[in-house]
Amino acid sequence: PDGGVVEILQLNEGGSAIELLPVRISGKSVTVRGPAQSGIKIRLATDRLPSLPSGRDFISLSDASLTLQNVHLNVTAAQSASAPWSLFRLEGLGRLKCRGISVTIDSDIQTPASIVRTSRRAFPTVAEMANSESTTEIGRRIEFEDSILRGGTDVFLCEAAVDLSLIHISEPTRPRL
């Protein structure tokens, strides 16, 4: 439906962590919350990522919102992880809010990676301009509060956006001044 809240109070006996496969959230608002005292451990491994260079992201947010609270993310980077990857990918109006989380990149080698990957745009889209409340919040799309980031990686990677022209004026129809 419209997303929701996933609250994990405790793991089954013998389970020390949840293993997460790559996930894509589109157009929804999702909150993942662990217990306040101990948090919840989520394990991710780069050898589980797809081999596509454009899709090597663990959690992709496309016009979606994700809030993580009391979550410990442990990423194990494979020795052969030479292609760039990211923990979070924000697209469109994607938003990420992290409270009381820890991220650990566990790798023996330096890998081309980032915690958050997003694209930079010079101007808001037509949809963003039409929605007056979203234009005031464009600058606050990523928030980390009381969080710890460990490991050899970039925190933010902003890729340059390719602006496409929607207007093409040919020679015979050139406007006159």
Side-chain angles (χ1 to χ4, degrees):
D2 293 330
V5 176
V6 177
E7 190 160 9
I8 304 169
L9 300 176
Q10 66 182 28
L11 293 174
N12 295 337
E13 281 196 38
S16 60
I18 297 171
E19 185 164 346
L20 182 69
L21 297 175
V23 63
R24 181 174 181 83
I25 302 170
S26 298
K28 307 247 185 261
S29 179
V30 176
T31 298
V32 177
R33 187 171 33 227
Q37 298 82 5
S38 60
I40 194 74
K41 294 180 180 104
I42 298 177
R43 187 174 48 241
L44 308 109
T46 58
D47 57 357
R48 304 294 295 256
L49 288 171
S51 59
L52 302 172
S54 63
R56 295 186 50 81
D57 310 303
F58 282 106
I59 301 171
S60 296
L61 305 172
S62 177
D63 295 326
S65 172
L66 176 64
T67 300
L68 296 175
Q69 188 171 356
N70 303 325
V71 175
H72 307 289
L73 300 165
N74 188 352
V75 181
T76 304
Q79 295 292 341
S80 60
S82 60
W85 59 270
S86 65
L87 183 55
F88 302 103
R89 166 83 171 152
L90 273 65
E91 299 171 346
L93 295 175
R95 295 187 56 146
L96 175 65
K97 182 182 272 188
C98 298
R99 288 189 186 133
I101 74 158
S102 68
V103 176
T104 303
I105 309 298
D106 195 7
S107 176
D108 294 336
I109 59 170
Q110 178 77 24
T111 61
S114 60
I115 303 294
V116 180
R117 181 168 66 118
T118 186
S119 61
R120 180 178 21 190
R121 293 184 308 214
F123 302 100
T125 64
V126 173
E128 291 169 347
M129 290 187 290
N131 186 357
S132 61
E133 67 184 45
S134 68
T135 53
T136 59
E137 297 183 15
I138 290 174
R140 271 199 117 151
R141 294 178 43 207
I142 303 166
E143 294 180 40
F144 284 93
E145 181 181 316
D146 296 329
S147 298
I148 300 170
L149 308 174
R150 299 180 195 97
T153 183
D154 294 330
V155 175
F156 299 105
L157 176 63
C158 289
E159 299 173 334
V162 177
D163 293 328
L164 301 175
S165 174
L166 299 177
I167 301 172
H168 175 74
I169 301 174
S170 61
E171 189 64 33
T173 59
R174 183 173 33 167
R176 298 172 194 227
L177 298 176

